[in-house]
Amino acid sequence: MFEVDALSFSYGRESQRILDEISFSVRKNECVAVLGNNGAGKSTLLKCIDRIYPADEGMVRVDGQNLYDMSKRAMAQHIAYVPQTAATSGSMTVFDTVLLGRRPYITWDATTQDKEIAIDVIEKMGMSSFLLRNVSELSGGETQKVMLARALAQEPKILLLDEPTSNLDPCNQHEVLHLVRRIAKEHDTCVIIIIHDLNLAIRYCDKFLFLKDSGVYAFGGVETMTPEAIEQVYGICADIIEHKGMPVVVPYIG
């Protein structure tokens, strides 16, 4: 179980709060979409969870343990974060970059098991053909998949993804989110995804966290994805229809 309890954050004492008492919980195997307009605090929330930004108040727990009390090494064994634009070393190969995900577990040198885990993730991501290519030779979308693979190799209990499909074509968007969802189910991972495409969210996520005015507007299952919520949070009208047994969000200007 992963819990965020009354998390608050501002950039200074006199600043307006970017996040104001954010609370929600995620069970193992669940994928949660973080939704909201630009500037709603979605990326800030993930950075506070990952201790990149120090929260003003609140607590983050993993299986009852306070994440903020953990050492950096212990925390890295629990949580992995993939930002919108991840820093990479162009001189490193895809394999070496993904193997870095095993660093929280390596005491002296990478073991055979560490290398096998890295290769297995690379294969699942469909990147075996450029295993030994330098990251600098890859496209933006391919680099994004490498960064996700590095996080998956970390085998975290909590996986934080900030717009993981932003540089991917439609086919790769579905492939990556399908893989993330499958890995969450297979490895008891809690996944928290910032995503702008409501149809990708409703197809691949179990729960939805709507942020508005620094707080939680709504949190829950598919029942929270309503035309009313979309209009209140995004300021746009939408219908939700069913196509081949799946809900589809159809936005329009009212």
Side-chain angles (χ1 to χ4, degrees):
M1 174 72 78
F2 171 73
E3 301 171 274
V4 174
D5 184 11
L7 192 69
S8 297
F9 174 81
S10 58
Y11 286 105
R13 291 185 178 180
E14 304 302 322
S15 301
Q16 181 179 356
R17 279 187 169 177
I18 306 300
L19 302 173
D20 189 13
E21 296 190 353
I22 304 295
S23 297
F24 65 98
S25 61
V26 187
R27 295 180 180 178
K28 295 178 180 179
N29 305 325
E30 286 186 336
C31 293
V32 174
V34 181
L35 307 170
N37 271 333
N38 294 334
K42 302 185 297 297
S43 295
T44 301
L45 174 61
L46 264 58
K47 290 177 181 178
C48 286
I49 292 173
D50 198 43
R51 287 196 332 206
I52 296 171
Y53 291 165
D56 298 334
E57 298 173 8
M59 191 177 298
V60 178
R61 301 185 188 90
V62 181
D63 294 334
Q65 301 179 66
N66 187 352
L67 199 68
Y68 294 161
D69 289 340
M70 294 181 183
S71 67
K72 289 185 177 180
R73 182 183 179 87
M75 183 175 169
Q77 293 176 355
H78 283 78
I79 193 166
Y81 168 58
V82 182
Q84 294 180 43
T85 53
T88 62
S89 174
S91 61
M92 294 183 66
T93 65
V94 170
F95 171 73
D96 288 335
T97 301
V98 175
L99 187 61
L100 281 176
R102 301 300 303 162
R103 187 164 52 182
Y105 306 95
I106 296 173
T107 54
W108 179 250
D109 195 10
T111 65
T112 299
Q113 182 183 18
D114 292 321
K115 295 174 183 177
E116 288 176 347
I117 290 171
I119 291 174
D120 180 60
V121 172
I122 290 170
E123 289 175 348
K124 287 180 178 177
M125 293 291 291
M127 299 186 298
S128 299
S129 60
F130 44 85
L131 182 75
L132 299 179
R133 285 176 61 185
N134 285 347
V135 176
S136 61
E137 300 173 357
L138 306 180
S139 68
E142 290 168 338
T143 301
Q144 197 167 19
K145 290 176 71 175
V146 172
M147 295 303 101
L148 177 56
R150 184 174 71 181
L152 293 174
Q154 201 170 321
E155 295 187 321
K157 293 183 178 179
I158 313 297
L159 179 60
L160 308 175
L161 304 177
D162 193 342
E163 299 187 43
T165 60
S166 58
N167 290 323
L168 303 180
D169 59 63
C171 180
N172 275 297
Q173 288 178 356
H174 286 274
E175 285 185 357
V176 164
L177 291 178
H178 177 79
L179 175 64
V180 168
R181 184 177 175 87
R182 194 183 89 196
I183 288 176
K185 303 301 181 187
E186 292 177 352
H187 296 274
D188 289 337
T189 305
C190 301
V191 182
I192 303 174
I193 308 175
I194 294 175
I195 193 165
H196 285 294
D197 189 320
L198 296 179
N199 282 306
L200 288 176
I202 205 169
R203 182 164 183 175
Y204 292 103
C205 296
D206 305 293
K207 289 185 177 178
F208 309 92
L209 177 70
F210 286 93
L211 297 182
K212 182 186 179 185
D213 298 332
S214 305
V216 175
Y217 174 81
F219 176 65
V222 69
E223 72 280 356
T224 63
M225 183 71 77
T226 64
E228 293 75 20
I230 294 169
E231 183 174 4
Q232 288 296 315
V233 171
Y234 290 99
I236 191 170
C237 299
D239 288 331
I240 299 178
I241 64 175
E242 187 171 303
H243 177 69
K244 294 186 177 180
M246 293 180 294
V248 178
V249 179
V250 183
Y252 64 92
I253 301 298

